[in-house]
Amino acid sequence: MAATGVLPFIRGVDLSGNDFKGGYFPEHVKCMSSLRWLKLNRTGLCYLPEELASLQKLEHLSVSHNSLTTLHGELSSLPNLRAVVARANSLKNSGVPDDIFQLEDLSVLDLSYNQLTEIPRDLENSRNMLVLNLSHNSIDSIPNQLFINLTDLLYLDLSDNKLDSLPPQMRRLVHLQTLILNNNPLMHAQLRQLPAMVALQTLHLRNTQRTQSNMPTSLEGLTNLADVDLSCNDLTRVPECLYSLSSLKRLNLSSNQISELSLCIDQWTQLETLNLSRNQLTSLPSAICKLSKLKKLYVNSNKLDFDGLPPGVSKLCSLTEFMAANNNLELIPEGLCRCDKLKKLVLNKNRLVTLPETIHFLTELEVLDVRENPNLVMPPKPADRAAEWYNIDFSLQNQLRLAGASPAVVAAAGGGAPRDHLARKMRLRRKKDSSQDDQAKQVLKGMSDVAQEKKNMEVRKTVRRLRLTDFLTYITIHKKRFILSF
């Protein structure tokens, strides 16, 4: 890098992907006196270059995916430093200097995917910390004093450690929006701190040994909570505290032991994604049909059959993905094929014998997976190829072709010579015209019969009048005879 007059005016530079092994580092970087951000990811660094000391305006430093064993050096001499991202290195406890936590503006610290066994010492002094990521280490405890001062935290990730408890002081994190505790043995943690975190929007507790007994009794104060992950736990039913989360948009309850759902799920009026895969469900309640904003529904690997799917599923007008692989389905409700926004339908490893003919109206469908349904007979396809009812070819020939069958087998499945679709259309048209002619003849015959009947009635009336006239004439002629007789 040649020294030029523009170096002092550069605000940011990304040197990621270069090879700085062996101590080589561009010395002209120190001339970039106005540098605000610097990225040195995947450069093979084993220690921080001394040229950093000249970057007094540096605010953001990223040194991820290197071979750093220590951050000691010049960091504490950078007064404007706000963010340090050193994920995926080889940092141990002694490699994190205490003095960087004296930097007043330090607000982002990412030390994930390292070799830490405890919380960095003096971390509690970083009073302006907003984002803290210590995930994927081997930390087994959190000191009580850590969260006394870090009350402005917005994001906290402690996942994939060895934590078995959480300090009660966590209830001071009233501004926290994201809390991730996945893959920690928190069996004895009651999580009583959660109701106090009123700003929480995302809560991930995947594989934390959650049961009915160690879940909070109520979370109704968390009115902003929209994303909850309780997968890979030991829940036998949906925790009652979840039903009060009216803002819930994403809920993952997969890989539990849930055998039934309450009708109270209709309270999740904002829910968009629901994952219930790998449970013990035999049916879905009709209340699920009231989730009009639901876009993705996953129920793979349960015990669902046709009767277990509510017929009112057509009311899920926003549904784009439905996955029910590895169940006991022989049929699916016709209403499912009336969810006209459906793009992905996964039904492999079931017992399907056919699909509703209305599947032809799923014009947005992009993925249809019906593998490993040996008795499945696909519904007939409209003969008129000009009518674009759907964009998936359900024909047996196409299914064999996708399965890798030989051309001879595909041709044999075609049932002989190809059909003349034009001739079929002409036959149908002639049949239709003939039917219309028959109807016209019937109408004309009916009108003729009515006219004839009217004519007959006139004739009968005329006959009656003639008879009366003849009688009167006869009386007049023989009047005298009648008088003489009397």
Side-chain angles (χ1 to χ4, degrees):
M1 183 184 293
T4 67
V6 302
L7 293 182
F9 301 100
I10 295 177
R11 295 298 184 96
V13 62
D14 188 351
L15 297 175
S16 300
N18 288 284
D19 187 1
F20 296 149
K21 295 177 183 176
Y24 172 75
F25 190 79
E27 62 178 11
H28 294 297
V29 170
K30 63 183 180 183
C31 298
M32 302 177 184
S33 55
S34 297
L35 206 63
R36 296 292 194 275
W37 59 267
L38 174 62
K39 294 183 179 181
L40 300 171
N41 304 324
R42 303 181 188 277
T43 55
L45 287 175
C46 296
Y47 56 87
L48 295 179
E50 60 184 16
E51 286 81 1
L52 296 181
S54 302
L55 309 179
Q56 290 295 296
K57 295 184 179 180
L58 191 66
E59 297 179 0
H60 186 286
L61 175 65
S62 183
V63 289
S64 298
H65 298 277
N66 285 297
S67 301
L68 296 172
T69 58
T70 179
L71 295 178
H72 288 278
E74 311 299 333
L75 290 186
S76 59
S77 65
L78 303 178
N80 295 302
L81 197 60
R82 296 176 180 271
V84 176
V85 179
R87 63 188 290 130
N89 280 281
S90 300
L91 296 173
K92 297 183 179 180
N93 300 332
S94 59
V96 182
D98 302 341
D99 51 4
I100 67 169
F101 302 122
Q102 303 299 325
L103 296 172
E104 292 187 2
D105 293 331
L106 187 63
S107 57
V108 177
L109 179 63
D110 186 346
L111 298 178
S112 59
Y113 292 91
N114 278 286
Q115 300 173 19
L116 303 177
T117 59
E118 61 183 27
I119 298 294
R121 192 169 54 185
D122 292 342
L123 175 58
E124 64 271 12
N125 294 327
S126 292
R127 296 175 177 269
N128 294 317
M129 189 69 68
L130 299 177
V131 176
L132 178 60
N133 188 348
L134 298 175
S135 64
H136 293 86
N137 281 284
S138 299
I139 301 172
D140 57 8
S141 64
I142 300 176
N144 291 336
Q145 70 272 17
L146 178 63
F147 298 115
I148 293 179
N149 294 329
L150 304 186
T151 55
D152 290 334
L153 271 178
L154 301 177
Y155 180 99
L156 177 61
D157 189 349
L158 297 171
S159 60
D160 292 88
N161 279 285
K162 298 180 179 180
L163 300 172
D164 58 6
S165 63
L166 300 173
Q169 288 78 8
M170 282 188 69
R171 60 170 48 94
R172 296 172 60 87
L173 304 180
V174 294
H175 301 293
L176 193 67
Q177 297 178 5
T178 299
L179 176 60
I180 305 178
L181 298 170
N182 299 334
N183 301 314
N184 280 288
L186 293 168
M187 175 181 290
H188 301 294
Q190 298 294 320
L191 304 183
R192 295 190 179 94
Q193 305 92 332
L194 288 181
M197 302 178 185
V198 293
L200 208 58
Q201 298 176 10
T202 299
L203 175 61
H204 288 184
L205 296 169
R206 176 185 179 90
N207 189 26
T208 54
Q209 302 180 13
R210 294 299 89 200
T211 64
Q212 304 300 135
S213 61
N214 59 18
M215 286 292 295
T217 56
S218 175
L219 294 175
E220 59 183 353
L222 306 185
T223 56
N224 298 308
L225 190 53
D227 184 354
V228 175
D229 186 349
L230 284 167
S231 59
C232 300
N233 282 291
D234 299 313
L235 299 171
T236 57
R237 63 177 186 272
V238 179
E240 295 293 330
C241 59
L242 297 184
Y243 292 124
S244 61
L245 300 177
S246 58
S247 298
L248 201 58
K249 291 185 176 181
R250 292 170 296 277
L251 177 59
N252 188 352
L253 292 169
S254 62
S255 299
N256 279 280
Q257 301 296 322
I258 299 173
S259 58
E260 61 179 351
L261 298 177
S262 167
L263 294 175
C264 296
I265 65 173
D266 61 2
Q267 298 182 46
W268 297 330
T269 56
Q270 305 301 313
L271 196 65
E272 297 178 359
T273 301
L274 178 59
N275 191 345
L276 296 165
S277 298
R278 297 178 296 281
N279 278 285
Q280 304 295 322
L281 293 171
T282 57
S283 65
L284 299 178
S286 58
I288 201 170
C289 302
K290 297 181 180 180
L291 307 182
S292 59
K293 294 187 178 181
L294 191 64
K295 296 180 179 179
K296 300 178 181 181
L297 177 57
Y298 307 134
V299 289
N300 300 317
S301 300
N302 279 281
K303 299 178 181 180
L304 297 171
D305 57 14
F306 173 72
D307 293 330
L309 297 181
V313 71
S314 59
K315 297 178 182 178
L316 299 178
C317 54
S318 301
L319 196 65
T320 60
E321 293 186 14
F322 179 76
M323 298 189 185
N326 194 23
N327 279 282
N328 299 321
L329 296 172
E330 295 181 344
L331 298 168
I332 60 172
E334 183 182 9
L336 184 60
C337 297
R338 299 188 184 276
C339 300
D340 54 7
K341 294 183 180 180
L342 202 62
K343 293 184 177 181
K344 191 171 186 179
L345 181 58
V346 177
L347 301 168
N348 60 298
K349 294 185 179 181
N350 276 283
R351 302 175 183 176
L352 293 173
V353 293
T354 189
L355 295 176
E357 292 184 0
T358 47
I359 198 169
H360 300 315
F361 297 98
L362 293 177
T363 57
E364 300 295 323
L365 196 62
E366 298 174 356
V367 175
L368 174 63
D369 189 348
V370 290
R371 295 170 299 161
E372 300 186 55
N373 285 281
N375 298 320
L376 177 62
V377 177
M378 301 302 293
K381 192 176 184 180
D384 188 359
R385 294 300 297 270
E388 296 295 335
W389 293 105
Y390 51 86
N391 53 17
I392 290 181
D393 190 348
F394 294 101
S395 66
L396 178 59
Q397 297 96 310
N398 188 59
Q399 298 301 317
L400 290 171
R401 191 179 297 111
L402 293 176
S406 65
V409 174
V410 174
R419 297 178 181 177
D420 188 342
H421 299 294
L422 181 60
R424 182 175 183 272
K425 289 173 66 176
M426 294 298 294
R427 288 196 301 272
L428 292 174
R429 186 173 297 173
R430 285 197 296 271
K431 183 177 180 181
K432 180 179 179 181
D433 292 342
S434 176
S435 176
Q436 291 177 346
D437 290 343
D438 292 342
Q439 291 178 356
K441 290 179 180 178
Q442 291 178 0
V443 171
L444 289 174
K445 184 178 183 302
M447 294 175 64
S448 177
D449 291 345
V450 170
Q452 185 63 40
E453 180 64 24
K454 287 184 177 180
K455 184 176 180 180
N456 293 339
M457 290 179 65
E458 292 295 330
V459 169
R460 286 194 293 270
K461 288 180 180 179
T462 301
V463 169
R464 285 197 296 269
R465 286 199 298 271
L466 288 174
R467 288 177 179 175
L468 180 60
T469 303
D470 291 344
F471 176 75
L472 292 175
T473 302
Y474 178 83
I475 292 298
T476 303
I477 294 174
H478 299 283
K479 181 177 181 183
K480 294 181 179 180
R481 182 180 301 177
F482 277 106
I483 296 173
L484 293 174
S485 298
F486 286 100

